Amino acid sequence: LIPQSEDAARGAFARFANEAISPYAAASDAAGAIRPECIEAIRSAGYLGAFLPRDVGGLGLDAVSYGLLTCEMARACSSCRTLMTVHDMVGSAILRWGSRELRSEILPQLATGSLIAAFALSEADAGSDAAAMRATIRRQGEDLILDGVKSWVSYGQTANLFLVFGRSEEGITAVLVSGEQPGITRRAVTEMVGTRAAMMADVRFEACRLSPHSIVGKPGFGLTHIAQTALDHGRYSVGWGAVGIIDAAFAACTAFVRERCQFGTPLVTQPQIRVHLTRMAALARASRLMCREAGLLRQARAPEAIIETMLAKYFAAKSAVSAANAAVQIHGARGLLRSGKPERLLRDAKVTEIIEGTAEMLELLIGEQVSSLGYPI
Ligand SMILES: Cc1cc2nc3c(=O)[nH]c(=O)nc-3n(C[C@H](O)[C@H](O)[C@H](O)COP(=O)(O)OP(=O)(O)OC[C@H]3O[C@@H](n4cnc5c(N)ncnc54)[C@H](O)[C@@H]3O)c2cc1C
């Protein structure tokens, strides 16, 4: 049974999303830029860095509550959910691996949203194979020099803090780079059709001079520790985001099939339409339960939390694509209208199968683990 407190939290997050986010989602998507009032609402509600502990200014939400918040945000707008995802991926990496100085300097600013953080791992020739990255971090006297071009950086157009990964003598290293740093140029990526309002950019770092204090964790720990923590957080967030998309698809369909009449009767009376709705309801329930289970394991700091998070993200992302596809189908021609909701949900759902580990990469990672260690069914 779901405890009452979870229902209450979900209700509060849903009201926020309905009032402050939903009304602007279609316009943000059409403009390819999140509306400033959404960022302001998220910021002033304390929903940036909401998982951060209270002593650094966060709301200290437990993992399940944080998941419910993410889900409601995505139900309203996946581009807003993306803001929370990437900002909090950076926050989670600093919280876990940052020096005491970095934690006390940066985390309070992430919690208030005075800093908006972006995650810069991918490159044109280093996607799933992140270890193939070309960006470099060289020592020059006391300083570090960062050079490289990062691709597909969500909120790269506007972020004022980047977590960037590059090759150093010790291996791949993670550094924090201020958006004000000389040597940064941003090229907006306007052709991306999924999470269109997430202000994506390719970001060039050219001879960026950094202090050694900007290193997160130890030099050489970039991929093995820092990126893994961030990606684990990102998968949890994206899994819940996918649940939000399924909820939105289901709600749009149940409203539509009661209104739309063909053959003299509302579509809801047609058995095949009910089959679509049944499948969507099952996908919604299963995805939600898997994400919630992953959340409970995260709260318990159980080692299985990592694989349960991967499984939940994998399943919820596939379910979101399936549910959004069904929503387009149920709406017929209207489902493909740019001004309608189903086609946006389908574009945004597809993103969840690609980011924070593609479906295929998760199959490799989960497959490796379950075939060597087994899996408690
Ligand atoms: C909307 C959006 C937002 C994004 N935001 C960010 C961001 O903020 N920061 C960031 O760093 N990156 C971001 N990315 C990039 C994202 O992380 C990459 O797209 C992802 O890692 C996949 O890399 P790729 O696109 O280069 O595909 P590739 O790695 O080239 O893969 C192409 C296809 O081949 C498959 N494939 C690859 N290797 C294997 C294998 N060994 N076995 C089987 N199949 C394989 C993949 O699963 C995929 O289907 C974003 C992407 C999107 C679409």
Side-chain angles (χ1 to χ4, degrees), residues 82 86 119-124 126-129 151-155 192 194-195 200 351 354-361 364:
T82 302
V86 293
F119 179 76
L121 177 68
S122 305
E123 296 181 6
S128 302
D129 184 11
S151 305
W152 320 117
V153 182
S154 300
Y155 289 92
M192 182 56 69
T195 55
M200 180 179 272
V351 169
I354 295 174
I355 53 173
E356 320 331 346
T358 62
E360 290 78 9
M361 291 315 290
L364 287 178

Side-chain angles (χ1 to χ4, degrees), residues 39-351:
I39 302 188
E40 200 36 54
I42 294 170
R43 195 199 312 259
S44 51
Y47 291 162
L48 284 173
F51 77 102
L52 287 170
R54 285 173 185 270
D55 62 2
V56 294
L59 294 183
L61 291 188
D62 61 50
V64 172
S65 305
Y66 178 76
L68 295 172
L69 168 62
T70 311
C71 176
E72 292 307 319
M73 198 64 76
R75 185 178 56 73
C77 170
S78 284
S79 294
C80 288
R81 188 276 304 151
T82 302
L83 174 67
M84 288 177 49
T85 303
V86 293
H87 184 81
D88 291 354
M89 283 168 74
V90 177
S92 68
I94 299 172
L95 182 67
R96 174 91 167 80
W97 299 107
S99 62
R100 191 193 299 247
E101 292 75 30
L102 275 186
R103 288 204 307 266
S104 61
E105 184 196 339
I106 305 287
L107 293 179
Q109 299 188 69
L110 293 181
T112 57
S114 59
L115 284 179
I116 299 284
F119 179 76
L121 177 68
S122 305
E123 296 181 6
D125 293 324
S128 302
D129 184 11
M133 71 177 62
R134 292 200 183 148
T136 55
I137 300 171
R138 287 175 294 117
R139 287 200 186 268
Q140 196 174 82
E142 290 292 292
D143 295 338
L144 303 173
I145 307 292
L146 166 68
D147 280 287
V149 183
K150 293 295 175 178
S151 305
W152 320 117
V153 182
S154 300
Y155 289 92
Q157 290 177 35
T158 50
N160 43 18
L161 183 72
F162 294 95
L163 179 61
V164 189
F165 297 80
R167 293 184 173 287
S168 68
E169 260 176 27
E170 300 87 349
I172 290 174
T173 294
V175 285
L176 285 174
V177 184
S178 159
E180 314 294 316
Q181 176 76 37
I184 296 182
T185 35
R186 313 168 190 233
R187 188 189 70 81
V189 177
T190 53
E191 320 89 87
M192 182 56 69
V193 299
T195 55
R196 252 181 65 71
M199 321 280 287
M200 180 179 272
D202 291 340
V203 185
R204 175 180 293 274
F205 301 89
E206 205 165 356
C208 285
R209 186 171 289 276
L210 308 170
S211 136
H213 299 299
S214 58
I215 295 178
V216 181
K218 291 190 180 159
F221 277 29
L223 269 194
T224 50
H225 297 65
I226 289 76
Q228 290 315 319
T229 296
L231 289 169
D232 172 56
H233 185 99
R235 283 173 195 140
Y236 185 63
S237 172
V238 171
W240 274 110
V243 178
I245 291 175
I246 307 171
D247 286 352
F250 188 73
C253 289
T254 48
F256 180 76
V257 297
R258 284 191 210 111
E259 291 286 315
R260 175 77 181 157
C261 291
Q262 285 295 279
F263 303 97
T265 170
L267 284 181
V268 71
T269 60
Q270 302 294 352
Q272 280 164 297
I273 296 293
R274 290 183 174 195
V275 170
H276 274 308
L277 295 177
T278 305
R279 287 188 182 142
M280 288 167 88
L283 294 176
R285 179 54 57 92
S287 302
R288 179 174 288 277
L289 289 175
M290 286 177 77
C291 286
R292 184 172 180 276
E293 179 68 11
L296 292 172
L297 289 166
R298 295 171 84 83
Q299 278 167 213
R301 298 188 188 281
E304 315 86 278
I306 292 179
I307 188 164
E308 291 296 336
T309 298
M310 282 188 205
L311 274 171
K313 188 270 190 185
Y314 173 73
F315 184 83
K318 287 209 166 287
S319 301
V321 172
S322 171
N325 197 31
V328 170
Q329 189 69 19
I330 286 174
H331 282 72
R334 290 164 184 79
L336 284 175
L337 281 180
R338 224 183 245 287
S339 52
K341 201 166 192 184
E343 68 85 35
R344 168 159 58 93
L345 293 175
L346 184 53
R347 285 186 279 115
D348 291 345
K350 198 60 205 162
V351 169

Side-chain angles (χ1 to χ4, degrees), residues 350-372:
K350 198 60 205 162
V351 169
T352 68
E353 277 197 314
I354 295 174
I355 53 173
E356 320 331 346
T358 62
E360 290 78 9
M361 291 315 290
L362 289 180
E363 281 162 1
L364 287 178
L365 290 169
I366 297 166
E368 192 179 295
Q369 186 146 344
V370 295
S371 54
S372 61

